[in-house]
Amino acid sequence: MTLIGCHHCDAVAKEPWVPDGGSAICRRCGATLFRRHRKTVEVTLALAVAAWILLILANAYPLLIFEIQGQASESTLASGVSALWRQGEYAVSAIVFLTTMLAPACEVLLLLFVLAPLHFRWRNPGGVIAFRWVERVRPWSMMEVFLIGIMVALVKLSEMADIRPGLALWAFLLLIPTLAGALALLDPEIVWRRIEETK
Ligand SMILES: [Zn+2]
């Protein structure tokens, strides 16, 4: 049994069972306690597909383009990680790899792996374990921290060289709200319910 509190009048009640598309209303003051969005699986799946495309762009294209004395060079996420490793910055290199490449990719793949079978009503024996991992991987995905670092470097280095943002930087800028939105709109209760139904 789970207890929930009303944000308006502080009344405490047992969390009621609410059908998909319905909402729970406070018995005392009539405020909405929570909603069960009927389309949560479809909306999050669409955002997860968009996030996957952005993730590929963010990894495949240059993040920054430098131009020093007429010579242009490009830096991708992977080349940055390997350059850090070669300079002996093993910990920084590993953290960047984990938080900006591995964790977001795992997060998006797990979402696709859980949500696509639910939408198409396929049997998915791994759905339960995969959905538990969605929550576990989440704290490790920290692309925004990395992006702030890139922005600071961009401003500092712009005095020394001609630096332009590459396609990957724009992809990152879009990827962060897309993935955050997918996770915010995901209603775990409905996902667990639909997993039970398709078992
Ligand atoms: Zn209330």
Side-chain angles (χ1 to χ4, degrees):
M1 185 184 81
T2 316
L3 291 174
I4 49 168
C6 172
H7 294 296
H8 292 267
C9 72
D10 292 327
V12 176
K14 256 196 314 186
E15 189 181 319
W17 186 89
V18 174
D20 294 3
S23 50
I25 288 180
C26 174
R27 207 175 276 177
R28 195 199 282 168
C29 74
T32 305
L33 296 173
F34 63 87
R35 281 199 179 86
R36 293 262 175 265
H37 291 285
R38 200 190 300 273
K39 295 275 177 209
T40 184
V41 168
E42 283 65 30
V43 172
T44 6
L45 178 60
L47 287 171
V49 171
W52 183 243
I53 295 166
L54 290 169
L55 203 64
I56 290 170
L57 294 177
N59 282 282
Y61 285 89
L63 209 53
L64 297 171
I65 301 152
F66 304 86
E67 216 167 303
I68 305 167
Q69 294 164 346
Q71 279 214 321
S73 70
E74 295 172 347
S75 168
T76 62
L77 191 53
S79 74
V81 168
S82 67
L84 280 168
W85 189 268
R86 278 197 309 273
Q87 287 163 19
E89 300 283 354
Y90 303 118
V92 181
S93 170
I95 288 169
V96 172
F97 175 72
L98 177 72
T99 58
T100 62
M101 292 173 86
L102 190 63
C106 286
E107 186 82 4
V108 176
L109 280 178
L110 285 167
L111 279 175
L112 292 174
F113 180 76
V114 172
L115 299 172
L118 287 185
H119 174 65
F120 294 109
R121 303 197 172 277
W122 297 329
R123 275 195 76 247
N124 181 11
V128 173
I129 296 166
F131 195 52
R132 282 196 197 124
W133 276 96
V134 169
E135 285 299 307
R136 281 182 204 156
V137 172
R138 200 171 172 167
W140 292 100
S141 174
M142 283 179 273
M143 292 177 292
E144 53 280 4
V145 179
F146 172 75
L147 201 70
I148 293 167
I150 291 284
M151 293 297 190
V152 172
L154 197 68
V155 172
K156 282 196 170 174
L157 290 172
S158 64
E159 290 157 15
M160 289 146 60
D162 196 10
I163 301 184
R164 278 173 292 134
L167 183 63
L169 195 66
W170 302 116
F172 258 118
L173 277 174
L174 287 172
L175 177 59
I176 291 166
T178 305
L179 191 53
L183 293 168
L185 294 169
L186 185 68
D187 185 340
E189 190 64 34
I190 290 188
V191 174
W192 285 124
R193 225 180 262 174
R194 300 253 307 246
I195 286 175
E196 280 298 314
E197 285 167 15
T198 49
K199 247 183 188 173

